[in-house]
Amino acid sequence: MSARILEVKSLKKHFPVKSNLLGKAMETVKAVDGIDLYINYGEVLGLVGESGCGKSTTGRTILRLLDPTEGEILFEGNDIAKYNKKQLRTVYRNLQLIFQDPFASLNPRKKVGSAIEEVLYVHKIRNAAERKEKVKELFEMVGLRQEDMDKYPHEFSGGQRQRIVIARALAVNPKLIICDEPVSALDVSIQAQIVNLLNSLKNRLALSYLFISHDLRIVKYMSDRVAVMYLGKIVEIAPAEELFSNPLHPYSEALLSAIAVLKPGKKKKKIVLEGEVPSPVNPPSGCRFRTRCKYAMKQCSETEPQLKCLGGEHFVRCYLH
Ligand code: SF4
């Protein structure tokens, strides 16, 4: 079996936003515009970028909550981009999602224990007694008490609700979890607890994560490798330590300068990017970052740079390298 649990090839997700009288799309938001990435078994790939860069759309398209416009999504070697709903149901035993707002993802009228039991039932897991035992085990695993099983979502704090959502995701014994801003809706004091829980579950259950977050410190702590996204494209992807100590793409350099983690001896100065992020309806020609890049040259507006391997697992999309 390949070491890769997930491999995404040339993935695009475009949204038509304006149509003519005949219903033909006149304008298209290119939210995800041809990305390639992979995740190995047991690995955490962080995905960072400014809000609106397409990172959440990437996660949702990989999960097939959104249908891809183009590209392949190889999950354990099978292209799930082409799967129908019935086929996807079997994939969701191995591929799960944890997202930002735990309250929105729980049914307010259902006791949380029953909600998790229902997931087990839908996936045809075990008989009733075994399902009850499994729910108890999951509650213990995420640090909740057995008596919490009979409560409703509103009886919990935000951090506890996220623990319930994590327990529900784990109910089917997934191999890969897409964590989309899993702690950003929580109080700062609670964030570390949930991040530590996700980290210990990853080690205990040999999970892989696609960890999407705008919080660079958390991404650095959680990830083995990190991909940096700008305007629908991945501009750099590298092992976490390497990227945070030596970002090579001018956008990564600016983004990561926001946290003082650069190597000792280097200037720890925040780089402020000039200008707004261009519209994903009409991205700039050539390099999409050129309108904000202080190193932009003639070539940058003429041809799009490709993601180039600089050795090992470090890839950069920039003519400077
Ligand atoms: Fe800047 Fe050109 Fe590199 Fe783009 S390709 S990041 S514009 S130097």
Side-chain angles (χ1 to χ4, degrees):
M1 190 188 284
S2 150
R4 292 177 180 178
I5 186 164
L6 180 78
E7 190 164 6
V8 169
K9 294 183 182 176
S10 310
L11 185 68
K12 293 187 181 178
K13 179 60 195 171
H14 294 176
F15 298 95
V17 282
K18 260 191 195 170
S19 316
N20 63 16
L21 288 174
L22 299 172
K24 191 166 181 287
M26 303 290 284
E27 277 189 357
T28 305
V29 172
K30 295 164 183 147
V32 176
D33 206 17
I35 66 162
D36 296 274
L37 57 83
Y38 63 84
I39 303 178
N40 292 319
Y41 282 91
E43 188 184 40
V44 178
L45 177 69
L47 185 57
V48 298
E50 288 163 294
S51 140
C53 69
K55 53 191 192 305
S56 283
T57 306
T58 300
R60 276 152 204 267
T61 310
I62 290 172
L63 254 159
R64 290 290 316 274
L65 298 180
L66 298 169
D67 285 334
T69 306
E70 263 179 58
E72 292 177 30
I73 306 165
L74 300 171
F75 182 72
E76 299 203 292
N78 300 308
D79 187 6
I80 63 167
K82 297 182 179 69
Y83 275 22
N84 61 29
K85 278 193 180 144
K86 195 174 164 204
Q87 290 171 305
L88 282 173
R89 231 172 280 144
T90 61
V91 174
Y92 293 146
R93 286 189 74 150
N94 291 316
L95 176 61
Q96 284 284 309
L97 169 73
I98 296 168
F99 62 97
Q100 190 175 352
D101 184 355
F103 203 52
S105 64
L106 293 167
N107 182 343
R109 284 186 217 95
K110 193 156 246 162
K111 289 179 180 170
V112 293
S114 312
I116 296 175
E117 219 188 312
E118 193 177 271
V119 174
L120 295 168
Y121 183 81
V122 168
H123 286 275
K124 300 188 175 65
I125 295 177
R126 303 183 175 115
N127 63 35
E130 282 176 327
R131 284 200 303 272
K132 277 254 169 333
E133 267 315 298
K134 175 78 180 172
V135 176
K136 277 188 205 166
E137 189 190 306
L138 287 164
F139 266 58
E140 177 271 324
M141 208 183 269
V142 300
L144 292 170
R145 298 168 309 170
Q146 273 185 34
E147 49 268 42
D148 291 332
M149 286 163 53
D150 289 323
K151 292 183 183 168
Y152 291 92
H154 73 268
E155 296 178 79
F156 294 93
S157 67
Q160 287 172 323
R161 277 197 288 269
Q162 196 58 302
R163 287 176 192 269
I164 295 161
V165 170
I166 293 169
R168 191 179 57 184
L170 294 177
V172 292
N173 298 323
K175 294 177 184 167
L176 172 65
I177 301 181
I178 296 185
C179 305
D180 187 4
E181 301 279 4
V183 296
S184 57
L186 304 176
D187 287 349
V188 175
S189 57
I190 307 296
Q191 288 184 353
Q193 293 173 18
I194 299 298
V195 166
N196 286 334
L197 173 65
L198 286 169
N199 201 29
S200 70
L201 289 170
K202 180 223 156 203
N203 294 329
R204 180 171 167 183
L205 304 171
L207 298 168
S208 308
Y209 295 147
L210 174 61
F211 196 88
I212 302 168
S213 176
H214 68 277
D215 190 321
L216 299 169
R217 284 172 203 275
I218 293 175
V219 169
K220 184 172 186 257
Y221 172 72
M222 283 296 296
S223 310
D224 298 300
R225 286 182 301 120
V226 177
V228 181
M229 212 169 161
Y230 183 79
L231 210 59
K233 298 259 183 191
I234 286 175
V235 296
E236 186 163 4
I237 185 162
E241 280 300 323
E242 202 173 315
L243 182 79
F244 279 83
S245 61
N246 189 26
L248 294 179
H249 193 283
Y251 176 63
S252 314
E253 193 190 8
L255 189 73
L256 303 190
S257 73
I259 55 170
V261 289
L262 296 175
K263 270 184 187 167
K266 282 200 170 191
K267 274 188 186 171
K268 294 177 180 174
K269 200 176 159 199
K270 184 173 176 190
I271 301 167
V272 180
L273 284 173
E274 303 288 331
E276 296 291 311
V277 182
S279 161
V281 173
N282 275 315
S285 62
C287 171
R288 293 185 175 201
F289 186 58
R290 70 176 169 81
T291 53
R292 301 170 83 194
C293 179
K294 61 182 176 185
Y295 308 107
M297 354 171 213
K298 189 166 176 282
Q299 182 187 15
C300 305
S301 62
E302 292 170 350
T303 331
E304 186 179 17
Q306 300 303 306
L307 205 56
K308 193 172 146 194
C309 182
L310 301 184
E313 292 187 296
H314 201 150
F315 294 79
V316 183
R317 188 189 289 278
C318 174
Y319 288 125
L320 293 175
H321 304 284

